[in-house]
């Protein structure tokens, strides 16, 4: 059933575009309209986010997929997006390219009550340093779920256990960027510790936006066969292998999926979600979590929410996806 909640689609689709007031007119009638400035459009979009969760009767949003990381690392990430590198494959403007304090203020202004600092290494020797930074960030940012990461390297099991004991509430695995096999023997103690602790892992393992050496459902299927109690949150709904990852969620009750960038116009242009699979979203409605990829998104934050309202799901589904499921999984 289509959603009937408060915010209008037009409000949610405020696109924040424009670089200043521009006149548009009707040549036949001679009327002239002033298009909103970038600031006005952005403010409209921000208000639409608030209208969205208020219309659902929620206390706010929980966003399980946001990126905060050391500034020099983030600068390199943004440079990669700017260059449309091989793992991106298309132009990707960063909508929220701001200083850290501004980005935090934006999220809180949207009404995001809890979020993550998805850090991830692309080589050995980075993970422990990133974990230390993320722990410090969480200590000074109480609404951020303490985040950690790992890489297949000697000692990974030890620092993963230390992160768990230190209060990490969510881990990030980036199979595409890290270019590692999830079943690497060096990761066996990591997966064992995460399984024992029932710690959720947001894992980018689908083959989008560009395939990696070890992306796709097959390696994850083998991983789950060995560690069936893992709590994996498949990022981006597993795009483009949507239905394969839905199958894994059907098979393993610990598998969740996040909506990050899925269903948006940007993604639908290239890797559309199969219409025939929409009913499966309702069936798995208690294990789908809202994620945004903020700040590294090429459209306003409100559009990610608008995309969810177009999936023919009811308000209970939206409430669960945007707040309830994550509140239960992370105990917030």
């Amino acid at each position: 059933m289509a959603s009937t909640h408060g915010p209008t689609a037009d409000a949610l689709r405020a696109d924040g575009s424009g670089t200043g007031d521009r006149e548009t007119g009707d040549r036949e009638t001679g009327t002239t309209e002033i298009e909103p400035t970038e600031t006005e459009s952005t403010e409209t979009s921000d208000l639409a986010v608030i209208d969205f969760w208020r219309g659902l009767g929620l206390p706010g949003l929980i966003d399980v997929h946001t990126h905060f990381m050391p500034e020099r690392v983030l600068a390199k990430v943004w440079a990669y997006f700017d260059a449309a590198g091989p793992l991106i494959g298309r132009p990707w403007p960063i909508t929220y390219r701001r200083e850290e304090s501004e980005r935090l203020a934006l999220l809180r202004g949207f009404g995001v009550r809890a979020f993550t600092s998805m850090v991830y290494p692309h080589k050995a020797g980075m993970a422990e340093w990133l974990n230390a930074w993320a722990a410090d960030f969480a200590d000074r940012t109480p609404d951020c779920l303490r985040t950690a990461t790992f890489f297949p390297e000697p000692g990974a099991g030890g620092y993963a256990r230390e992160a768990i004991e230190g209060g990490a509430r969510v881990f990030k695995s980036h199979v595409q960027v890290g270019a590692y096999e999830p079943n690497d023997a060096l990761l066996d103690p990591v997966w064992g510790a995460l399984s024992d602790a029932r710690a959720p892992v947001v894992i980018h393992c689908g083959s989008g936006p560009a395939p990696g050496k070890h992306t796709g459902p097959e390696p994850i299927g083998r991983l789950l066969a060995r560690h069936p109690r893992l709590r994996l949150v498949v990022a981006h709904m597993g795009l483009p292998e949507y239905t394969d990852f839905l199958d894994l969620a059907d098979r393993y009750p610990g598998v969740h999926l996040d909506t990050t960038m899925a269903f948006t116009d940007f993604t639908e242009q290239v890797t559309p979600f199969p219409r025939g699979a929409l009913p499966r979203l309702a069936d798995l409605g208690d294990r789908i979590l809202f994620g945004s990829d903020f700040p590294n998104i090429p459209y306003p934050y409100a559009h990610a929410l608008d995309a969810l309202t177009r999936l023919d799901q009811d308000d209970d589904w939206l409430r669960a996806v945007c707040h309830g499921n994550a509140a239960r999984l992370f105990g917030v």
Side-chain angles (χ1 to χ4, degrees):
M1 179 170 60
S3 170
T4 57
H5 69 282
T8 67
D10 287 343
L12 279 168
R13 288 169 192 160
D15 64 8
S17 63
T19 55
D21 285 346
R22 295 192 304 273
E23 292 188 355
T24 60
D26 185 321
R27 292 182 180 179
E28 293 184 2
T29 64
T31 58
T32 300
E33 296 179 357
I34 302 296
E35 290 188 358
T37 64
E38 180 178 5
T39 300
E40 289 169 341
S41 296
T42 301
E43 289 174 352
T44 300
S45 179
D46 295 353
L47 290 172
V49 175
I50 298 169
D51 287 344
F52 172 86
W53 55 261
R54 282 182 175 168
L56 289 168
L58 291 173
L61 303 169
I62 299 177
D63 189 337
V64 304
H65 197 135
T66 60
H67 292 282
F68 289 89
M69 55 187 67
E71 289 300 313
R72 61 186 173 125
V73 176
L74 187 59
K76 291 180 180 180
V77 170
W78 284 348
Y80 193 89
F81 279 98
D82 291 342
L87 296 181
I88 304 299
R90 61 191 295 204
W92 195 301
I94 305 295
T95 301
Y96 297 100
R97 193 190 303 261
R98 311 284 181 86
E99 295 296 323
E100 181 182 282
S101 60
E102 293 180 81
R103 284 180 271 124
L104 286 169
L106 278 167
L107 273 185
R108 291 163 178 160
F110 294 153
V112 178
R113 297 172 62 88
F115 52 91
T116 58
S117 60
M118 296 275 102
V119 292
Y120 52 88
H122 66 271
K123 61 182 180 180
M126 287 184 68
E128 278 192 275
W129 170 67
L130 288 171
N131 288 350
W133 183 91
D136 177 72
F137 179 78
D139 286 343
R140 57 187 169 87
T141 314
D143 38 355
C144 177
L145 299 172
R146 187 162 175 157
T147 307
T149 189
F150 52 85
F151 193 84
E153 58 189 335
Y159 66 66
R161 284 190 295 273
E162 287 178 8
I164 293 168
E165 292 166 1
R169 300 173 73 179
V170 60
F171 282 72
K172 169 69 172 182
S173 168
H174 207 314
V175 174
Q176 183 210 36
V177 168
Y180 56 78
E181 161 62 70
N183 297 281
D184 190 309
L186 289 167
L187 290 177
D188 282 347
V190 175
W191 296 124
L194 293 170
S195 180
D196 290 344
R198 306 292 284 151
V201 184
V202 175
I203 181 166
H204 186 138
C205 49
S207 300
K213 185 177 181 181
H214 300 291
T215 57
E218 193 274 334
I220 302 304
R222 287 190 285 111
L223 175 65
L224 288 164
R226 295 190 301 114
H227 298 281
R229 296 179 67 250
L230 277 173
R231 282 180 163 173
L232 297 185
V233 181
V234 177
H236 309 286
M237 297 294 295
L239 70 86
E241 296 104 341
Y242 298 107
T243 57
D244 293 316
F245 284 105
L246 290 173
D247 291 343
L248 287 175
D250 283 337
R251 197 174 312 149
Y252 296 98
V255 173
H256 299 64
L257 305 102
D258 80 31
T259 66
T260 305
M261 295 198 68
F263 316 116
T264 64
D265 294 345
F266 184 82
T267 298
E268 289 287 295
Q269 292 170 4
V270 180
T271 50
F273 187 85
R275 299 298 96 182
L278 285 175
R280 301 184 68 181
L281 299 180
D283 297 338
L284 291 168
D286 61 340
R287 283 188 281 143
I288 298 174
L289 314 173
F290 172 66
S292 70
D293 237 350
F294 177 92
N296 306 331
I297 46 177
Y299 44 74
Y301 195 91
H303 179 58
L305 300 169
D306 172 48
L308 299 181
T309 69
R310 301 183 298 191
L311 299 177
D312 296 327
Q313 306 299 322
D314 62 21
D315 286 359
D316 286 340
W317 187 89
L318 288 169
R319 280 188 279 267
V321 168
C322 294
H323 187 276
N325 293 342
R328 183 180 63 253
L329 183 63
F330 296 107
V332 296

